[in-house]
Amino acid sequence: MAETLKALIARVAQPGQVTWIGVRPMRRAALLPVEEVAVEARGLKGDHGSSDKRAVTLMQAEHLSVIGSFLGRGPVAAAQVRRNILVSGLNLAALKGRQVRLGSAVLEITSICAPCSRMEEAFGPGGYSAMRGHGGWCARVAQPGLVRLGDAVAPLTTEEQGSL
């Protein structure tokens, strides 16, 4: 018997991995790379500004090459895209509306993180358009915790989500 669409949507091929973490100490400041960060109820410790649905921003590391390609160059640097956490090996778009464990923290992927006008400053003309569709995802904090470089990233099961 064929699997249901719901079952197919719920499955991921493998867990991902945290490959970069950055915080910005103040508005318009450059992101500072860190090896670990405390995820607090309203966002990352040491990161300027956050709101419930956009407390943390995530992006797939694989998209750095795509953005660079659209700009006619190699992969762009993680800090340039102004997202807090880069994840490799896991399709974040497949996790919209789901809770995801990173280290001991749990985030809920809430919405697409649209590029901002700062992308023109970071990448030059066309920077904004190069990021469209590749700008990552916003997330709210479901459970505070600690996230470190190399931590696994995986969606929670229905049972795990119910226990939070």
Side-chain angles (χ1 to χ4, degrees):
M1 177 198 298
E3 290 189 78
T4 66
L5 183 57
K6 183 177 180 179
L8 295 173
I9 289 171
R11 185 180 309 137
V12 296
Q14 64 181 0
Q17 183 178 38
V18 175
T19 59
W20 188 88
I21 305 168
V23 296
R24 56 190 170 105
M26 64 180 66
R27 186 176 183 273
R28 295 190 60 83
L31 270 83
L32 304 173
V34 296
E35 292 188 15
E36 64 180 39
V37 67
V39 178
E40 300 175 335
R42 292 199 35 86
L44 303 183
K45 184 174 183 171
D47 191 55
H48 167 76
S50 61
S51 65
D52 186 44
K53 290 184 180 179
R54 192 185 167 122
V56 180
T57 55
L58 299 104
M59 184 174 170
Q60 291 173 224
E62 292 83 356
H63 287 218
L64 298 176
S65 294
V66 173
I67 295 164
S69 177
F70 292 151
L71 295 167
R73 59 177 105 161
V76 298
Q80 288 181 296
V81 297
R82 305 190 62 75
R83 302 301 181 252
N84 296 123
I85 298 175
L86 239 58
V87 172
S88 67
L90 182 65
N91 183 355
L92 293 172
L95 303 176
K96 182 180 179 199
R98 294 186 63 191
Q99 291 182 345
V100 181
R101 181 172 305 284
L102 299 88
S104 62
V106 176
L107 303 177
E108 181 180 339
I109 308 298
T110 57
S111 61
I112 289 176
C113 192
C116 67
S117 61
R118 301 274 322 267
M119 296 303 97
E120 293 289 307
E121 293 173 32
F123 302 126
Y128 179 89
S129 290
M131 287 277 298
R132 289 187 68 199
H134 302 282
W137 293 86
C138 299
R140 74 168 192 83
V141 178
Q143 175 182 296
L146 187 66
V147 176
R148 294 183 172 106
L149 291 178
D151 278 348
V153 179
L156 270 60
T157 64
T158 306
E159 295 79 29
E160 289 172 313
Q161 287 190 73
S163 69
L164 288 183

